[in-house]
Amino acid sequence: MSLIQTENLTKIYGCGETAVTALDHVNMQVNAGEFVAVMGPSGCGKSTLLHLLGGLDRSTEGKVSIDGTSLAEMKDNDLTKLRRKRIGFVFQFYNLIPVLTAIENAALPVTLDGVRPAEARQRAAEWLERFGLGDRLNNRPDQLSGGQQQRVAIARALVAEPALVLADEPTGNLDTKASDEIAALLRQVSKEYGRAVIMVTHNPRIAAYADRIVFLKDGKIVDETLLERKNGDNAKMLADKIKRIGD
Amino acid sequence: MNLQLTLAARYLAGRKLRTFLTTLAVVFGVLVIFGMNIILPTMIAALQINAQGAAGMVDFSVTHVSGEAFTADLLPTIQAVDGVRAVSVSLNRIVNLPADFYDNDPARPDVLTALSLVGVEPEAARSVRSYPVTAGRYLEASDSASTVISQTLADSLSVNVGDTFSIPTVNGITELRVAGILPPRTQPGNEEVLVTLAQAQEMTGETSRVNTIDINVETTAGEARHAEIQANIEASVGEDYHVGTLMAGTEMFASLKLGQAMMNLFGVLALFMGGFIIFNTFRTVVAERRRDIGMLRALGASRGTIIGMILAEGLLQGVIGTAAGLLFGYLLGAGIVKLAGPMLSQYINLKMGEPVVTPALLSMSIFLGVGVTVLAGLLPARSASKVTPLDALRPSVAEVEFKRRAGTGSVIGAVIVALTTLALFSGNPALIVPGGFLFLVGLAMIAPLLVRPITNIFGRLIALIYAREGTGELAQGNLTRQSARVAATASATMLGLVVIVAAGGLISSLTVTLYDLMRKSLGSDYLFIPPSIALWNSNVGAHAGFADQLRAVEGVEAVSTLRFAGSIANGQAVSLMGIDPATFPEVSGLHFQEGSESAYQALADGHALIANSAFVTAAGAQVGDMLELITPNGPVEYRLVAVATDFLNVKITTAFISQADMQADFGTTEDVFIQLNLAPGADRAAADASIRAIAVDYPQFKIISGKTYFQSMKSQMDAAFAAMYFLLAMLALPSLIAMLNTLTIGVIERTREIGMLRAVGATRKQIRTMVLAEALLLAAIGTAFGILGGLYLGYTFVSAMASIFPLGYAFPLTGVLAAIAVGLLFGALAAIIPARQAARMNVVEALRYE
């Protein structure tokens, strides 16, 4: 059984004549250790899909299941616990708490889970060191570069040992070099640490780091591509594809 | 440290100025409540120590419940009580000394401001107390004009055995010869001047009467036996007498209690404002931190965690603010005790000790200070917990929600405003007082609804000024779009101004009424004023002959005197003032609330009384009631014929009876306050000389002309009002600065928009103008609300005072004008920093700002 799967997942914003269908009967599944990129033109429903997968928003129709449990039937508190233990988030704007240091930010999910502060720090420090931030533990977000901030955010996403990491345009706010670093890091997360990673992006070069690409258009899955690591320019192939779909 | 506390502390530290200002509001509220409540118990403690000092080694003292003198008929009854070993009667009176009485040197501070005259039967007195004479001899029954004093008093008077010193009495100045000297006095309280009972009775005009019976009981008596004997004595003397330590200063208590109530009201108002400011700040904080909160929620923080985080911030501010408030409150209290101590010991013979902090007061102050802050954080915390994780990603969602909620709030606010307005017209103080506070809450809630119409009105004005560039319209648009935030800012301004206008209302009503009252009560040509105004029983007055002498002076038209007796009616201590119903209305006068001048005739007919409103309220009496007054000769019925107030006794439960009744029922003929009018066309210089010549023998009275007294009272009152305005300004300041705070946040929130305006070609000046116009609009809204709320609250104060002191409501024009000036000035001031900040913004950075 796959880690996360959706059945006819549908999200409609508004009602009556102004109703907008953001997601239209989406069926997908992702396995543990798999790195999936979701691509598509603006407004295709990428972010909505991610929010529904992460239990941040509720679907209009259809369902999302994680480990076989349907999110639709969960209460807010149970959803909160699920997010805390099973899902890690990475956002475009990092969303670090500005008044907390790198290590405190990274430790947040386990601190919220009631882990002893010393242990929480210990675990956060381990992840930050793995991501090359060992000398930045006590810096505040405003003392870090964008790439460093995003690495803190990824450490935060992993500190509670979740099965699933959701990344919404994680490189959207970074320069090319930092973007590549972050994308490589996310691949490492799925391969080395065995997490399922679902990443929304519209950058073909970044999407090329994934194992599988899901193309969305007007709320529907229009194409799925498995990437071969061996052959040449995946990024160019993806760029061509997105251009075709966009048209 | 706990996560919530860490976050709270970090966020607070990140906004030092804002934290400081909001906490300041809590500090101020706690300071006022705590500081002021320290002072009253300290005064009570001082009064008790003084009373105990007077009681000395005596086991029990029997006094009349009214505090008045009585005949010693009870003595045999008490002596017959089982367990009583010795009994001694005495007549104790505090003699207030006029300034510079002994040293005649205004430059030197007076060492002695009052003496305690004690008349005893020499042998009986020795059976209850010891008088170890160190020089000369003890008193003998046959002594006349002799006294025994302590070494300390002898030293300060520079007298020795055989020397004489003078002391004011009802018969003029009396010379006393020092017969013996006692060891230096160690107890606090007034120095005693020990004379024979007969001597004291003559000096005070209390012929054949005493006011204390001292009792010593078996020395071997244990505690239980002691209580049994006390019960037996109580049974034998009946309920008209009080057994225990000396009762002191009931009038004092009444005045202090009133002052305390006013201060508590003030403190509660300050805390209320503090709570409101914190509420507003938290509302902004939640809006400002929507992203952070959404993030935390996405990471798995539960709603409870978020509520906890906001409440922890409130708690921290509450704890710190309360701690600082307690500290400064203590310093304030101690400072007042220290500063006022010498003054009090001068005017009312009160030696104050260290400030008294009761555990109850401490816990109440902490409870109020911390409670208000946490309470203020509750609603914003709840709305923070409703921020969804998605808000971290889509900030616009929350804004919509914020507006919608403000809508429901407006409906509730409108209901509150409507109900409280009805309460105002009901005229019922029980409804009006809480109504005043609710009205403010209602106004704050209704604010979002009113933003649009008000900005439309003022916007037109501003558009006229800045017509060419359209910045006025832009500012107006900004405001109407964010009505909830505007309402928060405007209500902060409102609160600051409410206090100014409300106090303006109270003060203008007070001044108008008090000045009118003063003119009526103290409008006579001459006033003979005793050392303590309104604390009548500590004054030594003059026998009736003094007033007669004055009447005989050529050119004097009328002389009216006040006499004093303490009594109890309906279980309420009351100051009785004896007046001559015929002359009193000519020279002085009362301000009638119920009944009319014809009440004087009822007084002349006998056993009728005119009560002031303080008494009527406290005793729950009505015109027409028969009241039982406790007199030294038992209860006597008086009919309440009118309710009226004079200036001197305004704050004290007082009733006026005829001097004839007072003489018959209380045996008092001593004049404690005298007013005199000259005949028109009299030779003023000659009359003045004669009057002053007669008064020389009565130095306890200060002679002044009514006009001078009126002026001096007026300047005293003006000073008191100025002090109040100063305190109010301190109250208003934090909330006005809160407006600056919110305005700055408004600029930060719109960084991107401002960047856009700059990008499309708005000049710095235009940006500045826009922010300024916005601030002025905000200030105008806040000011409009402030004036509305202030007028209501002012009326509330005035009607709350009605039970103590009825006032006519006077419209506070000065207060309203001051509020408009202050409000707009602050609006402009508050805009300067954000406007500069907005204008200086780097366009590229601003556009990128998230």
Side-chain angles (χ1 to χ4, degrees):
Chain A
M1 190 187 66
S2 50
L3 175 72
I4 182 164
Q5 64 177 30
T6 69
E7 276 172 45
N8 295 324
L9 193 62
T10 304
K11 178 74 181 178
I12 300 170
Y13 289 111
C15 54
E17 281 178 27
T18 58
V20 175
T21 308
L23 277 185
D24 194 357
H25 296 85
V26 169
N27 290 295
M28 69 179 281
Q29 41 188 315
V30 178
N31 297 318
E34 198 179 3
F35 186 6
V36 177
V38 180
M39 292 191 75
S42 297
C44 70
K46 298 185 300 263
S47 290
T48 306
L49 175 65
L50 210 64
H51 297 159
L52 289 173
L53 291 178
L56 296 177
D57 203 356
R58 290 189 185 269
S59 63
T60 315
E61 209 183 298
K63 69 175 189 180
V64 177
S65 324
I66 292 182
D67 298 332
T69 318
S70 167
L71 300 192
E73 285 135 39
M74 294 174 91
K75 294 210 178 73
D76 184 78
N77 264 346
D78 297 324
L79 262 185
T80 301
K81 259 186 218 141
L82 178 90
R83 283 201 301 267
R84 205 191 280 163
K85 290 181 188 294
R86 304 286 292 157
I87 306 173
F89 290 92
V90 180
F91 299 99
Q92 179 178 357
F93 296 105
Y94 335 125
N95 282 354
L96 300 177
I97 305 294
V99 295
L100 297 180
T101 61
I103 190 166
E104 284 166 336
N105 263 299
L108 256 182
V110 279
T111 317
L112 285 169
D113 204 27
V115 171
R116 279 186 308 105
E119 194 192 327
R121 286 178 74 87
Q122 172 64 32
R123 281 162 66 175
E126 279 168 20
W127 282 105
L128 288 172
E129 273 156 19
R130 271 174 217 158
F131 296 163
L133 290 170
D135 56 342
R136 293 280 177 187
L137 297 184
N138 292 312
N139 287 44
R140 298 247 173 125
D142 55 5
Q143 297 161 329
L144 298 172
S145 73
Q148 285 170 328
Q149 287 190 57
Q150 196 61 299
R151 275 186 274 163
V152 173
I154 296 173
R156 180 177 65 186
L158 288 168
V159 73
E161 309 288 345
L164 175 65
V165 173
L166 299 173
D168 191 356
E169 300 277 9
T171 61
N173 212 29
L174 297 174
D175 58 34
T176 315
K177 183 164 170 285
S179 295
D180 280 324
E181 278 169 22
I182 291 301
L185 198 61
L186 285 172
R187 182 163 183 85
Q188 188 190 354
V189 165
S190 84
K191 297 305 149 214
E192 197 172 318
Y193 304 112
R195 323 287 184 215
V197 177
I198 304 175
M199 171 179 72
V200 163
T201 182
H202 55 255
N203 184 341
R205 203 166 44 79
I206 297 303
Y209 283 85
D211 302 324
R212 177 157 62 108
I213 315 293
V214 174
F215 290 93
L216 272 186
K217 188 184 181 188
D218 299 331
K220 291 189 181 106
I221 295 181
V222 290
D223 188 278
E224 281 194 54
T225 306
L226 273 172
L227 292 183
E228 294 294 324
R229 291 284 120 201
K230 289 170 245 161
N231 67 4
D233 202 344
N234 278 335
K236 189 172 183 307
M237 185 266 286
L238 290 172
D240 291 344
K241 206 160 201 168
I242 197 80
K243 208 168 183 186
R244 241 182 12 252
I245 292 166
D247 293 341
Chain B
M1 197 166 39
N2 171 308
L3 176 71
Q4 277 125 315
L5 277 176
T6 314
L7 281 170
R10 296 276 175 83
Y11 276 124
L12 288 175
R15 293 274 190 173
K16 286 195 185 64
L17 182 67
R18 175 161 77 192
T19 306
F20 174 73
L21 291 174
T22 46
T23 313
L24 198 65
V26 182
V27 172
F28 199 71
V30 174
L31 180 148
V32 171
I33 290 184
F34 188 64
M36 290 302 160
N37 277 290
I38 284 178
I39 299 171
L40 185 81
T42 305
M43 287 187 177
I44 292 176
L47 280 172
Q48 278 167 346
I49 289 171
N50 277 13
Q52 276 156 9
M57 289 154 284
V58 168
D59 289 324
F60 299 116
S61 291
V62 175
T63 51
H64 194 261
V65 285
S66 67
E68 281 299 290
F70 50 89
T71 52
D73 305 339
L74 277 176
L75 210 54
T77 328
I78 295 173
Q79 266 161 339
V81 172
D82 181 40
V84 169
R85 192 177 57 78
V87 177
S88 163
V89 295
S90 63
L91 181 61
N92 303 288
R93 283 293 286 273
I94 290 167
V95 181
N96 278 318
L97 299 170
D100 312 310
F101 184 67
Y102 289 118
D103 62 6
N104 237 333
D105 181 1
R108 267 211 335 248
D110 291 337
V111 183
L112 290 167
T113 55
L115 296 171
S116 181
L117 181 69
V118 183
V120 294
E121 292 171 328
E123 280 322 301
R126 274 195 145 158
S127 66
V128 294
R129 294 171 200 252
S130 69
Y131 294 99
V133 176
T134 54
R137 60 168 177 81
Y138 181 62
L139 287 178
E140 283 165 14
S142 59
D143 275 348
S144 131
S146 292
T147 180
V148 169
I149 57 175
S150 77
Q151 187 64 54
T152 3
L153 180 58
D155 288 347
S156 49
L157 292 175
S158 315
V159 291
N160 225 317
V161 175
D163 294 345
T164 62
F165 66 92
S166 54
I167 181 167
T169 75
V170 294
N171 307 309
I173 291 177
T174 297
E175 294 284 320
L176 292 176
R177 180 172 301 280
V178 180
I181 290 180
L182 295 167
R185 190 180 161 83
T186 51
Q187 298 149 322
N190 292 315
E191 285 287 350
E192 285 185 357
V193 173
L194 198 67
V195 296
T196 61
L197 184 58
Q199 179 77 37
Q201 285 168 338
E202 190 201 323
M203 286 167 75
T204 57
E206 301 275 11
T207 320
S208 73
R209 285 162 18 125
V210 299
N211 62 7
T212 311
I213 303 177
D214 289 337
I215 303 169
N216 268 10
V217 298
E218 299 163 342
T219 42
T220 54
E223 220 165 286
R225 174 75 176 139
H226 207 84
E228 187 192 330
I229 297 172
Q230 180 172 0
N232 288 340
I233 298 172
E234 273 168 0
S236 76
V237 297
E239 56 185 31
D240 285 351
Y241 291 88
H242 177 80
V243 179
T245 51
L246 291 172
M247 254 172 69
T250 30
E251 300 157 38
M252 205 40 224
F253 283 143
S255 302
L256 287 177
K257 282 257 159 66
L258 178 71
Q260 194 188 25
M262 298 280 291
M263 277 304 163
N264 277 343
L265 184 71
F266 198 66
V268 166
L269 190 69
L271 264 184
F272 179 80
M273 279 186 51
F276 210 95
I277 291 166
I278 288 175
F279 172 73
N280 264 342
T281 310
F282 279 156
R283 271 208 320 196
T284 341
V285 156
V286 170
E288 204 180 45
R289 263 189 241 151
R290 220 163 35 228
R291 257 194 121 79
D292 288 5
I293 293 167
M295 187 63 231
L296 283 168
R297 291 279 287 134
L299 287 182
S302 66
R303 290 200 168 150
T305 310
I306 301 296
I307 292 186
M309 182 181 85
I310 302 286
L311 286 187
E313 272 191 63
L315 193 70
L316 265 181
Q317 281 186 291
V319 168
I320 293 170
T322 305
L326 289 177
L327 177 71
F328 290 124
Y330 184 83
L331 291 178
L332 174 79
I336 288 183
V337 167
K338 195 148 213 136
L339 287 176
M343 204 178 78
L344 284 174
S345 80
Q346 173 119 11
Y347 291 111
I348 51 179
N349 317 308
L350 201 61
K351 301 239 178 348
M352 300 224 287
E354 284 301 296
V356 180
V357 179
T358 62
L361 171 63
L362 196 64
S363 43
M364 186 191 74
S365 306
I366 293 173
F367 178 76
L368 277 177
V370 178
V372 160
T373 335
V374 172
L375 209 66
L378 218 53
L379 274 180
R382 232 176 64 90
S383 80
S385 80
K386 290 200 178 139
V387 171
T388 68
L390 278 183
D391 291 335
L393 316 163
R394 282 185 291 165
S396 59
V397 176
E399 213 158 339
V400 174
E401 208 186 0
F402 202 42
K403 260 184 206 161
R404 189 170 48 77
R405 231 199 316 280
T408 21
S410 304
V411 176
I412 301 172
V415 173
I416 293 178
V417 169
L419 284 179
T420 46
T421 312
L422 281 179
L424 184 66
F425 287 114
S426 77
N428 183 349
L431 292 177
I432 293 177
V433 175
F437 292 97
L438 277 176
F439 186 72
L440 290 186
V441 175
L443 267 188
M445 289 173 87
I446 210 173
L449 268 189
L450 297 178
V451 167
R452 191 177 289 271
I454 296 182
T455 41
N456 278 344
I457 297 167
F458 288 103
R460 241 169 246 149
L461 240 161
I462 293 195
L464 273 182
I465 302 169
Y466 301 121
R468 279 179 309 143
E469 289 153 355
T471 37
E473 282 87 345
L474 209 53
Q476 189 184 333
N478 283 336
L479 292 183
T480 39
R481 226 166 2 103
Q482 304 226 348
S483 54
R485 207 195 67 223
V486 169
T489 320
S491 35
T493 321
M494 169 184 92
L495 272 173
L497 297 176
V498 151
V499 184
I500 294 180
V501 177
L506 181 61
I507 292 174
S508 63
S509 305
L510 256 177
T511 14
V512 167
T513 318
L514 276 182
Y515 289 168
D516 181 50
L517 208 59
M518 272 199 317
R519 255 189 291 273
K520 229 172 193 171
S521 301
L522 305 172
S524 58
D525 291 334
Y526 283 91
L527 298 167
F528 293 76
I529 299 174
S532 298
I533 291 279
L535 294 169
W536 303 110
N537 70 3
S538 67
N539 291 311
V540 164
H543 66 101
F546 177 45
D548 289 339
Q549 267 178 288
L550 291 172
R551 282 187 190 98
V553 169
E554 175 90 38
V556 170
E557 184 186 48
V559 175
S560 164
T561 67
L562 287 182
R563 292 173 184 173
F564 167 81
S567 182
I568 291 179
N570 279 11
Q572 169 68 40
V574 57
S575 290
L576 292 179
M577 305 306 305
I579 59 171
D580 177 354
T583 55
F584 181 76
E586 284 174 36
V587 182
S588 185
L590 296 172
H591 181 86
F592 282 88
Q593 277 98 48
E594 276 182 65
S596 65
E597 308 273 327
S598 64
Y600 292 120
Q601 186 50 47
L603 253 55
D605 296 342
H607 288 115
L609 62 82
I610 301 173
N612 73 355
S613 41
F615 172 74
V616 173
T617 316
Q622 287 175 355
V623 170
D625 284 359
M626 294 303 290
L627 293 172
E628 230 174 44
L629 292 184
I630 308 292
T631 77
N633 311 312
V636 177
E637 287 217 319
Y638 277 75
R639 193 161 54 87
L640 177 56
V641 291
V643 179
T645 310
D646 72 341
F647 176 70
L648 299 174
N649 298 294
V650 120
K651 291 181 296 185
I652 300 160
T653 53
T654 301
F656 299 87
I657 62 174
S658 74
Q659 291 179 346
D661 283 337
M662 185 167 276
Q663 183 167 6
D665 293 334
F666 295 87
T668 304
T669 56
E670 177 186 347
D671 293 325
V672 289
F673 185 83
I674 301 170
Q675 285 174 282
L676 181 153
N677 267 1
L678 295 176
D683 180 349
R684 288 187 170 255
D688 186 74
S690 315
I691 288 167
R692 289 187 191 274
I694 296 169
V696 163
D697 286 339
Y698 301 88
Q700 61 266 47
F701 289 108
K702 201 164 135 196
I703 312 170
I704 45 179
S705 80
K707 216 169 195 156
T708 320
Y709 191 63
F710 180 82
Q711 285 305 330
S712 82
M713 285 304 279
K714 192 165 173 288
S715 60
Q716 263 180 41
M717 256 160 49
D718 288 345
F721 289 149
M724 260 189 88
Y725 270 123
F726 174 73
L727 279 172
L728 289 169
M730 300 230 333
L731 251 186
L733 205 61
S735 62
L736 288 172
I737 299 176
M739 177 171 151
L740 174 138
N741 201 357
T742 331
L743 211 61
T744 314
I745 293 164
V747 169
I748 295 168
E749 277 178 358
R750 282 211 322 278
T751 304
R752 215 170 160 157
E753 186 182 315
I754 291 169
M756 185 272 292
L757 282 173
R758 294 272 289 125
V760 300
T763 63
R764 291 201 166 163
K765 183 154 173 280
Q766 280 170 322
I767 298 288
R768 248 198 323 264
T769 319
M770 181 190 80
V771 176
L772 188 70
E774 197 179 320
L776 284 176
L777 273 177
L778 264 178
I781 298 167
T783 309
F785 282 10
I787 290 169
L788 265 181
L791 288 176
Y792 190 116
L793 209 65
Y795 188 80
T796 303
F797 285 165
V798 170
S799 55
M801 290 278 287
S803 57
I804 309 155
F805 183 67
L807 295 171
Y809 183 74
F811 185 81
L813 187 65
T814 341
V816 169
L817 291 179
I820 293 175
V822 170
L824 293 183
L825 183 73
F826 254 82
L829 275 181
I832 289 175
I833 299 170
R836 283 164 63 99
Q837 207 179 337
R840 279 193 190 156
M841 222 171 257
N842 178 309
V843 182
V844 179
E845 258 174 41
L847 280 175
R848 217 195 290 150
Y849 186 86
E850 190 43 43

